[in-house]
Amino acid sequence: MAIGGSPGHSGRTEHSVACPQLPPAPPVPSVVALTLPPNPAFPQPESQNLRIILQSIRGQATVLEVQRWGCASLRDLAQASSEDRSWLGRLGGIELVLNAMRTFEADTELQQSACGALATLSYENQVNTKAVLQHGGTELLLRAMHGHSSSPSVQGLACYVLRILAFLEEGRHHMVQLGAIETILMALRNHIGDVDVQGSGCGVLGRLTACSSEDLAKVASGDGLGVALGALSAHPRDAQVQACASALVGNLVLAGPQSVQEIAQSRAADLVVQASKHESLEAQSCAVNALNNMCLRSEHCIAQAAVSGAYASLAATFQPTDENIQLLTITVLYLLTTTDQGDVGDFVQLQGLSHLIPTMMRFMSSLKVQEQISSILQRIGHRAEMLEEILRQGGLDGIFTAMHRYPLSARIQVSGCYLASRWARASQDGAQRVAEGGGVELV
């Protein structure tokens, strides 16, 4: 069952809703160094060498050393190119790896290499991903996690493959049936210091919670919030962790009033604000979406975000070209200005207006955007030292254009009249510019 949003605080904005956030796609699997030698050292897809390797693995299925070597070889070969991954899949490489996992369940080294092989074979290859699913890979991955719970490598690589399998609806359904949520939550708790476990584990849970309300409830009841906040706190510099854990926090907002209350009473707002300052566009996007959901559902989260430096971080998120981030940023900024907490001056001092006002002009066809930005400018304009900055950045043209376009919007008209009167009283130059811009007629 898919999940959707519901309106936030009444009286704030009729169109803003809290929405589930999909975590980013997994990066290239980091099982071995990815720098290739200058000369082609990997066998070509149709070469006799590759066939000999596969034949050796297949012919000595009960010899542990051969299977260890075989899984490690397939893991490394699959990193060479997408063509090699496809050839290895077509030649039965995935089935060989899964057979080795069944035969030598107790061997940590083999399970690690096998999970690594499945990771590289599945990366950006849907055919291979479906083959892993169809040949019982999900169950074997979870058995590997149970049997080698103390190995961060096994846990991280298995979560990575599950993260890829979670792109498929059948994959999500099957892994949840097999207890993947509980297993991943345990791995995240036991390996808080391992960046790969935290990134991939939160990535799986983020996708599950975005796609199913039932899975969202399971993760919430299993203290998914606690593991997500632990990941954010333990790995502030890692883009994947910050993106995936932020997405998970944002989704947990949708689990119900109890979850919202737990989030409001935790450090979630502070940690997600810090994630929004990350240089990674993916981390920024997921963090701003999480802030949007949190602020729409909780006034306490609004206040927490404001005092945690959200104004400063939002000034920076306007700079990327991603329109989705910009629109979410506008909503969060709009909600922040409904509280007296924090300092909106941080947004102005970091050149936030130089991005906000051009965005207002660019989205003039959106009533929601115009109402929100008009209200933001009115709030900022309360302070005399910022009123002149709004005028200098082109705010007069923006607000008057919105007033012309939306004469029936009370919010836009009230904000515009307020700013026009403030500019007119502030200085002779302001009064002249208001008059020249048609302010008298509008008011």
Side-chain angles (χ1 to χ4, degrees):
M1 177 178 170
I3 58 177
S6 59
H9 303 305
S10 60
R12 288 217 169 104
T13 173
E14 291 81 359
H15 309 290
S16 297
V17 294
C19 299
Q21 168 76 31
L22 290 172
V28 176
S30 56
V31 292
V32 294
L34 290 177
T35 303
L36 298 179
N39 297 317
F42 292 106
Q44 295 304 304
E46 295 185 275
S47 72
Q48 187 64 23
N49 289 337
L50 180 53
R51 295 182 183 277
I52 290 173
I53 291 173
L54 293 171
Q55 185 177 356
S56 297
I57 300 171
R58 187 176 289 110
Q60 301 186 61
T62 60
V63 181
L64 176 58
E65 290 299 328
V66 173
Q67 296 304 304
R68 284 177 177 171
W69 166 83
C71 289
S73 297
L74 292 178
R75 175 198 67 195
D76 297 347
L77 288 168
Q79 293 186 95
S81 69
S82 59
E83 291 79 11
D84 288 345
R85 285 194 289 277
S86 295
W87 270 100
L88 288 166
R90 284 196 291 269
L91 293 172
I94 290 170
E95 292 91 324
L96 291 177
V97 172
L98 295 176
N99 286 336
M101 293 180 73
R102 290 188 187 93
T103 304
F104 300 102
E105 283 192 34
D107 190 78
T108 301
E109 181 180 341
L110 181 135
Q111 294 295 319
Q112 176 182 331
S113 295
C115 290
L118 294 178
T120 56
L121 286 165
S122 301
Y123 176 67
E124 293 186 345
N125 191 307
Q126 193 172 55
V127 173
N128 286 355
T129 300
K130 289 181 178 179
V132 173
L133 183 62
Q134 291 166 0
H135 292 283
T138 305
E139 181 178 1
L140 289 169
L141 289 164
L142 293 173
R143 280 159 60 178
M145 292 181 71
H146 283 293
H148 306 275
S149 58
S150 63
S151 170
S153 295
V154 171
Q155 301 298 305
L157 289 167
C159 283
Y160 182 97
V161 184
L162 291 172
R163 186 176 174 185
I164 295 176
L165 293 175
F167 276 77
L168 304 175
E169 182 178 359
E170 182 183 356
R172 295 191 296 272
H173 180 70
H174 190 47
M175 69 176 67
V176 170
Q177 279 190 324
L178 294 173
I181 290 176
E182 296 79 6
T183 302
I184 293 169
L185 286 170
M186 183 63 68
L188 287 166
R189 294 189 193 98
N190 291 343
H191 299 280
I192 185 65
D194 189 273
V195 68
D196 293 326
V197 175
Q198 297 301 311
S200 292
C202 288
V204 182
L205 297 181
R207 188 159 292 272
L208 292 175
T209 54
C211 297
S212 165
S213 58
E214 289 82 4
D215 296 346
L216 174 62
K218 286 183 180 180
V219 174
S221 64
D223 192 28
L225 176 63
V227 298
L229 298 183
L232 287 169
S233 179
H235 305 282
R237 297 181 181 178
D238 187 82
Q240 283 290 308
V241 173
Q242 294 298 300
C244 294
S246 293
L248 179 54
V249 172
N251 292 345
L252 288 170
V253 173
L254 308 178
Q258 181 178 348
S259 185
V260 172
Q261 184 177 7
E262 291 173 355
I263 289 171
Q265 294 174 348
S266 70
R267 292 185 59 212
D270 176 51
L271 290 170
V272 173
V273 167
Q274 300 311 309
S276 71
K277 299 177 182 179
H278 199 282
E279 61 184 13
S280 161
L281 192 62
E282 288 181 337
Q284 290 178 17
S285 178
C286 291
V288 173
N289 191 85
L291 283 173
N292 176 70
N293 288 358
M294 292 162 63
C295 291
L296 283 170
R297 294 297 178 87
S298 169
E299 293 184 0
H300 189 62
C301 284
I302 296 175
Q304 282 187 320
V307 299
S308 296
Y311 282 118
S313 68
L314 292 176
T317 56
F318 265 112
Q319 297 176 21
T321 57
D322 190 304
E323 288 188 356
N324 182 57
I325 294 180
Q326 291 181 340
L327 293 174
L328 288 171
T329 299
I330 291 168
T331 298
V332 177
L333 184 61
Y334 166 70
L335 293 170
L336 290 177
T337 57
T338 64
T339 179
D340 292 327
Q341 301 295 320
D343 187 1
V344 71
D346 292 342
F347 180 81
V348 177
Q349 291 172 6
L350 292 172
Q351 304 302 312
L353 287 175
S354 66
H355 302 291
L356 179 66
I357 294 172
T359 301
M360 183 182 195
M361 300 300 289
R362 188 163 63 254
F363 292 98
M364 190 55 66
S365 61
S366 170
L367 173 61
K368 171 188 171 182
V369 170
Q370 298 310 306
E371 289 187 335
Q372 290 183 337
I373 295 183
S374 296
S375 297
I376 293 168
L377 293 178
Q378 178 183 351
R379 178 71 176 181
I380 294 175
H382 281 316
R383 291 168 57 167
E385 69 273 17
M386 298 182 193
L387 189 66
E388 179 64 26
E389 183 64 17
I390 296 174
L391 189 64
R392 191 178 72 82
Q393 293 288 349
L396 184 145
D397 290 339
I399 195 71
F400 282 4
T401 301
M403 292 176 74
H404 274 295
R405 180 142 188 172
Y406 300 103
L408 300 181
S409 171
R411 288 184 187 173
I412 293 175
Q413 299 302 316
V414 168
S415 296
C417 290
Y418 173 83
L419 289 169
S421 64
R422 289 272 289 160
W423 282 321
R425 293 196 307 268
S427 67
Q428 184 175 354
D429 177 64
Q432 182 178 351
R433 292 180 66 176
V434 168
E436 291 174 350
V440 175
E441 294 83 353
L442 284 170
V443 172

